[in-house]
Amino acid sequence: MNEPVMAPPRSQKFGAAEGEGIVRCDACPVLCRIRPGRAGACSRYANIEGQLVRTDPVVLMQRAVADGGRVVEFAGADWDGQMLDPARAFLTGVGAGTTYPDYKPAPFIVAAEHAGVDTVTVVTEGIFSYCGVKVKIDTDRHLGPETAPVRVNGEQVGHVTTAEYGSQMLSIGGVRHLTGGSKKEGNVTCEALLKLCAGEPVAMSVDGGHSVVVEAGAAPVVDGRPEERMRVGCGSATIGIFAKQWEGHVDEVIVVDDHITGVLTEHQAGRCLDMRPAGIRVRGRKSTPGRYFQVASPGLGWGGTDIADPLSIIQKIDPAVAWPGLRLLLTSTTGEDALYCVLDENLRPVPAPIPQAVRAVVDRIGENVEPSLCSVLFMAGAGGSLRAGVTENPVLLTRSIARGDTRVTLGGAPAYLWPGGGITVMVDVTRMPKGSFGYVPTPAIVAPIEFTLPRELYLRLGGHAGDITTLAEALRQLGEPARVDAWREDNPWPFEPVERP
Ligand code: SF4
């Protein structure tokens, strides 16, 4: 392994002393002049006795040893990092600081040997103007029309985007809300993003829709009501899954769903089971046999529709086909709502106690649903000047990442890299360390980012060779307390080869 070059201390990489003990912070374009004992506008930097200090500790993550050995929880200011095994420690960008303008090398460029390969990890905090979160809300309830504005405290912070299977999707943040509107819109958007990324609840409202409280990893709360169940599938899928189990216990099943309402005897599943047609026609537009679109309007009722009375979706019952005594089940796609009826002499559905065998299948729907959760994925573009802190020839870094030769992580968490140009990444915020995100008042979001690659490749990319150091040396020169978190074993170890799709 090559001998590391002694790197300058992090504190010398940013900040400039001015008169009267004032320090100018140059970690972002705001360039705060900070008086002694005070913090800058973002609270991330402070002037401690004339020195510019990052107010949050750098975060390292350490893998547990095979025998279950303990993970060091915290290291004091006088700690020199010696107790860390470099083979099991990963220095994250959390608390690393930024080196604006970006032609300066990143705060940490750390060399280590892993599995016989000399590697380098470039560690920094990125300032992202082009960023936001994609929110997946596991519910079939209608939150609002597609493209409708999503607001926090009256300011538009995003919009409803295309629904996914069993989930409603929101796009929150993005450069237009952060910097393209009013100052208030930008600040409210920034604050909402920070809370969402920190796993805190954020109350939102959708124009022409409903209110929802979103919290990463927690159940959504729609109009004050916590969601419990994600639907098992659309109405047609529910018919397909449970048709055999209903056979013999009911004569017709209607699964109410805002997307596709399924009608068992007409559906291919019922036909395969040779079920007798029931002659019950539901409202809406017929897609294919037994599959109906738009049986009602979207809403918070049965199956994501606006109906509270499921019988209201029955358009007609054909007297030439239906028969008195016909057993009819109406259910939602989550099994939360179900109504069992028997047709009387006039072929009118009359609610009746649900037989145990039918109840068991409805309960089986409930057993097959997944808990309703909110997922928050931070999405950002790192293809700009941030790259100059890594290499003097940025396009080589971009290409190396696209080829899979350089791994990108955010706080050690795996990042999904979008194909095509740039370095556009997405990461699940719940897989990142606590306190990963910050902001600067431009406004923009600050997030950790690390690039890990073979040292030999780093040099070929035009990397800052003179700033490569070891982990222990970096921590010794840091001269500040560091935080050591346990490595999340569900995150891939960044020093393992990148998996190519
Ligand atoms: S906003 Fe924060 S990072 Fe930017 S100059 Fe001020 S203290 Fe430094």
Side-chain angles (χ1 to χ4, degrees):
M1 181 174 168
N2 298 327
E3 272 304 303
V5 176
M6 199 67 85
R10 180 174 76 147
S11 57
Q12 288 178 15
K13 286 194 174 179
F14 36 64
E18 297 194 346
E20 301 171 10
I22 294 172
V23 175
R24 181 179 292 279
C25 176
D26 57 3
C28 94
V30 177
L31 299 175
C32 293
R33 295 179 75 246
I34 310 175
R35 295 191 171 278
R38 307 295 294 269
C42 67
S43 301
R44 293 168 57 243
Y45 289 89
N47 179 342
I48 307 292
E49 296 174 355
Q51 290 285 320
L52 186 67
V53 173
R54 179 74 174 85
T55 50
D56 305 299
V58 169
V59 174
L60 294 109
M61 303 191 84
Q62 182 169 228
R63 287 181 115 177
V65 293
D67 64 1
R70 73 190 180 95
V71 169
V72 181
E73 296 294 341
F74 185 80
D78 56 353
W79 171 56
D80 64 3
Q82 293 304 316
M83 66 185 77
L84 280 173
D85 176 359
R88 294 187 296 112
F90 183 75
L91 180 61
T92 75
V94 182
T98 39
T99 47
Y100 182 84
D102 302 291
Y103 60 76
K104 293 191 209 169
F108 298 105
I109 303 176
V110 176
E113 185 180 322
H114 289 273
V117 178
D118 286 345
T119 66
V120 166
T121 302
V122 182
V123 179
T124 189
E125 284 178 306
I127 299 176
F128 297 102
S129 299
Y130 279 83
C131 73
V133 296
K134 306 301 175 203
V135 178
K136 173 172 163 282
I137 301 171
D138 299 334
T139 179
D140 56 359
R141 301 203 197 280
H142 177 71
L143 300 180
E146 196 172 299
T147 75
V150 176
R151 298 184 189 276
V152 171
N153 297 333
E155 293 294 325
Q156 186 179 355
V157 298
H159 63 273
V160 178
T161 184
T162 46
E164 298 301 338
Y165 200 87
S167 308
Q168 309 297 318
M169 304 289 293
L170 307 180
S171 176
I172 305 295
V175 69
R176 190 172 70 81
H177 293 302
L178 277 171
T179 59
S182 68
K183 188 171 180 181
K184 188 176 177 202
E185 178 181 336
N187 289 340
V188 172
T189 300
C190 188
E191 193 179 340
L193 286 176
L194 274 179
K195 284 185 174 173
L196 288 168
C197 290
E200 295 173 16
V202 175
M204 308 174 187
S205 62
V206 181
D207 286 9
H210 300 271
S211 72
V212 59
V213 178
V214 173
E215 179 180 348
V221 180
V222 181
D223 278 0
R225 179 181 153 192
E227 283 290 276
E228 292 178 3
R229 299 180 181 187
M230 191 175 176
R231 70 178 186 177
V232 74
C234 69
S236 174
T238 308
I239 291 278
I241 295 169
F242 297 102
K244 190 91 175 69
Q245 298 177 46
W246 277 312
E247 187 186 16
H249 302 300
V250 283
D251 300 307
E252 185 62 287
V253 178
I254 298 172
V255 182
V256 181
D257 179 40
D258 176 51
H259 176 214
I260 302 173
T261 289
V263 181
L264 175 59
T265 62
E266 195 187 330
H267 191 277
Q268 185 66 10
R271 292 187 179 187
C272 288
L273 293 170
D274 280 333
M275 291 190 73
R276 177 180 168 185
I280 300 176
R281 175 70 157 88
V282 298
R283 299 185 190 283
R285 180 162 67 82
K286 186 172 178 175
S287 165
T288 56
R291 302 168 73 253
Y292 291 83
F293 296 143
Q294 300 155 17
V295 296
S297 298
L300 303 185
W302 280 52
T305 69
D306 63 345
I307 61 167
D309 173 14
L311 295 176
S312 66
I313 68 164
I314 294 178
Q315 189 173 56
K316 67 174 183 182
I317 298 178
D318 186 348
V321 182
W323 63 94
L326 185 153
R327 301 162 298 172
L328 168 66
L329 172 70
L330 299 109
T331 181
S332 68
T333 48
T334 60
E336 286 168 304
D337 298 298
L339 177 68
Y340 180 80
C341 297
V342 177
L343 298 196
D344 66 11
E345 290 303 315
N346 298 313
L347 300 181
R348 284 185 309 219
V350 179
I354 188 165
Q356 186 49 40
V358 179
R359 178 80 251 172
V361 184
V362 173
D363 289 345
R364 178 68 63 83
I365 296 175
E367 188 185 328
N368 274 269
V369 301
E370 292 173 83
S372 185
L373 293 175
C374 297
S375 311
V376 175
L377 265 64
F378 177 69
M379 183 167 172
S385 59
L386 180 152
R387 296 173 298 169
V390 182
T391 166
E392 292 170 355
N393 200 356
V395 74
L396 296 184
L397 175 69
T398 309
R399 291 175 188 155
S400 165
I401 291 168
R403 281 196 308 271
D405 295 334
T406 296
R407 169 166 274 175
V408 184
T409 50
L410 276 76
Y416 173 78
L417 176 76
W418 279 75
I423 305 172
T424 302
V425 291
M426 286 201 305
V427 64
D428 178 352
V429 299
T430 63
R431 299 177 76 162
M432 297 173 69
K434 280 204 179 316
S436 283
F437 291 87
Y439 82 104
V440 291
T442 50
I445 295 292
V446 177
I449 189 162
E450 308 93 24
F451 303 93
T452 300
L453 65 167
R455 182 190 181 114
E456 171 270 331
L457 173 60
Y458 183 60
L459 299 179
R460 268 196 288 128
L461 298 186
H464 302 291
D467 285 69
I468 300 175
T469 187
T470 61
L471 180 59
E473 184 59 24
L475 294 172
R476 193 187 67 75
Q477 293 190 351
L478 181 64
E480 300 167 17
R483 190 180 102 200
V484 182
D485 288 0
W487 179 259
R488 286 184 55 139
E489 291 300 333
D490 55 340
N491 284 343
W493 187 232
F495 300 106
E496 286 165 4
V498 175
E499 284 177 23
R500 294 166 201 267

